[in-house]
Amino acid sequence: MVALAIATDNVGRRATTLDSRWRSQLDGLGLPAVDGRPGWVRRWAGDEGLDRPRALAAAVDALANIGFLPTLDEILPPPGSAEARSRHDRIAGSSGARGAVSNPLLDRIRNLLAKAESTTFEAEASALTAKAQELMTRHAIDAALVHGRSTPGDAGPTPIRIPIDAPYVDAKSLLLQTVAEAGRCRTALHPRLGLSSVVGFPDDLAAVELLFTSLLVQAQTALAAEAARAPTGTRTRQQSFRSAFLLAYTQRIGARLREINQAVFNEVEAEQGPAFLPVLRARSATVDDFIAERFGEMVTSAVRGGYDSAGWASGRVAADNAKLSFGDLVEDGERAD
């Protein structure tokens, strides 16, 4: 019923009146085909084989659930608003705008991470992931230098929301925070909603979302492999093991991303000088100001779990199996030794 309501509301709107991110989210919902004619609730009830009392009960139940949800801040122009054709329509590949003009760099990062997720060679997955982070950092430096020469009115920080699915919401949100900070973004977790807001410049946001999703897939694949190798009832299947695994994985991933960033900074500084550093710091300060203004004073809380030594060791192995250093990076399409 809710899907039909969204589809019916949208069917009469022209695509040019929608923000690109809104269009992308609609596409991702897989909405049913509708014609926009009145009486869609009655037709829905007939298709579902519901009599009037049961259809009414379903409608009341849907409204009650929607009404229970807390209010979220508006982060993109609603349909039909004057701002709907936002700056995001002019930024190729901005996060959530997969229907917009393709960004070749983000496409390459996406391809690298897809290969990292699909390979059965842990060393290759690590090298591909590292290459993606290197490209993200180099692109951020280029964008910072362009931004430093640009005029007011250019695209600034913006928020997106990324779902954090149970279980282990704390550990997964910490992984997102770690990836976001390495990508020059900031996060704010909304525990009741099972999602995090991520604030940054549009291309950084897109890259962070890609990398976080890939790393989470890789972590879950490694966890499944641990469980498959162990007999039923052993520690690998316990909550404490899995929580410790994810926390250790996140800690080591954070260290690796910082190593890659620093290596790129050193290389660019040797080639071009340190002019990019003040611009990067200024952009980071702009993101900090934005998140402080949007969310006010936030509370920091410790992530619980991580007390299983075997899980912690396994998590570090999953994140660091290739003993990756900057010199181990491979070009797209090559296989790590």
Side-chain angles (χ1 to χ4, degrees), residues 274-288:
F276 69 94
L277 291 170
V279 185
L280 277 182
R281 285 194 289 267
R283 284 164 69 89
S284 293
T286 302
V287 172
D288 290 340

Side-chain angles (χ1 to χ4, degrees), residues 122 126 222 226 229 245 248-249 252 256 310-323:
E122 293 177 341
S126 294
E226 289 279 349
R229 288 193 293 264
F245 179 103
Y249 179 85
R252 183 58 191 140
R256 288 182 53 211
W312 188 271
S314 296
R316 284 189 62 86
V317 169
D320 199 31
N321 194 286
K323 305 299 181 187

Side-chain angles (χ1 to χ4, degrees), residues 10-280:
N10 181 66
V11 70
R13 302 184 189 276
R14 293 183 299 171
T16 55
T17 68
L18 303 177
D19 184 283
S20 59
R21 295 164 294 171
W22 190 287
R23 295 199 305 270
S24 177
Q25 290 180 34
L26 286 171
D27 292 343
L29 289 174
L31 297 174
V34 295
D35 55 17
R37 293 185 296 116
W40 63 268
V41 176
R42 182 175 61 255
R43 292 193 297 275
W44 165 80
D47 292 341
E48 295 292 327
L50 300 178
D51 57 21
R52 183 179 177 85
R54 287 195 295 164
L56 181 61
V60 171
D61 184 55
L63 289 172
N65 278 279
I66 292 170
F68 176 76
L69 296 173
T71 301
L72 289 172
D73 292 340
E74 184 178 290
I75 62 172
L76 70 159
S81 67
E83 299 82 14
R85 288 189 57 82
S86 71
R87 63 192 178 197
H88 289 264
D89 290 307
R90 302 192 299 271
I91 300 173
S94 64
S95 181
R98 295 181 181 85
V101 179
S102 177
N103 181 321
L105 177 75
L106 291 175
D107 287 343
R108 188 179 179 196
I109 291 172
R110 185 178 291 110
N111 289 336
L112 284 168
L113 295 175
K115 290 179 181 179
E117 293 169 24
S118 62
T119 182
T120 57
F121 297 94
E122 293 177 341
E124 184 181 27
S126 294
L128 291 168
T129 303
K131 186 64 181 178
Q133 176 66 19
E134 181 205 4
L135 291 177
M136 290 164 57
T137 304
R138 286 186 175 275
H139 175 65
I141 292 172
D142 292 341
L145 292 173
V146 171
H147 178 79
R149 296 189 294 267
S150 62
T151 57
D154 288 330
T158 188
I160 62 170
R161 296 190 183 101
I162 296 180
I164 308 292
D165 295 328
Y168 314 112
V169 170
D170 285 356
K172 292 175 183 177
S173 65
L174 184 61
L175 176 61
L176 175 58
Q177 176 182 314
T178 300
V179 173
E181 289 177 351
R184 296 151 298 280
C185 299
R186 302 291 182 269
T187 63
L189 174 65
H190 309 284
R192 286 185 59 201
L193 300 173
L195 56 82
S196 281
S197 292
V198 188
V199 174
F201 286 83
D203 279 352
D204 287 339
L205 287 173
V208 163
E209 185 174 10
L210 286 171
L211 182 57
F212 165 69
T213 302
S214 176
L215 288 172
L216 189 57
V217 169
Q218 293 180 57
Q220 291 172 330
T221 300
L223 264 174
E226 289 279 349
R229 288 193 293 264
T232 302
T234 56
R235 296 170 68 180
T236 56
R237 298 174 182 271
Q238 295 175 359
Q239 181 176 346
S240 59
F241 178 95
R242 292 169 177 265
S243 177
F245 179 103
L246 290 172
L247 292 176
Y249 179 85
T250 295
Q251 184 190 68
R252 183 58 191 140
I253 286 294
R256 288 182 53 211
L257 295 180
R258 290 189 294 272
E259 291 168 3
I260 294 166
N261 281 355
Q262 190 58 54
V264 174
F265 291 163
N266 293 343
E267 186 173 315
V268 174
E269 187 171 4
E271 295 171 353
Q272 305 178 21
F276 69 94
L277 291 170
V279 185
L280 277 182

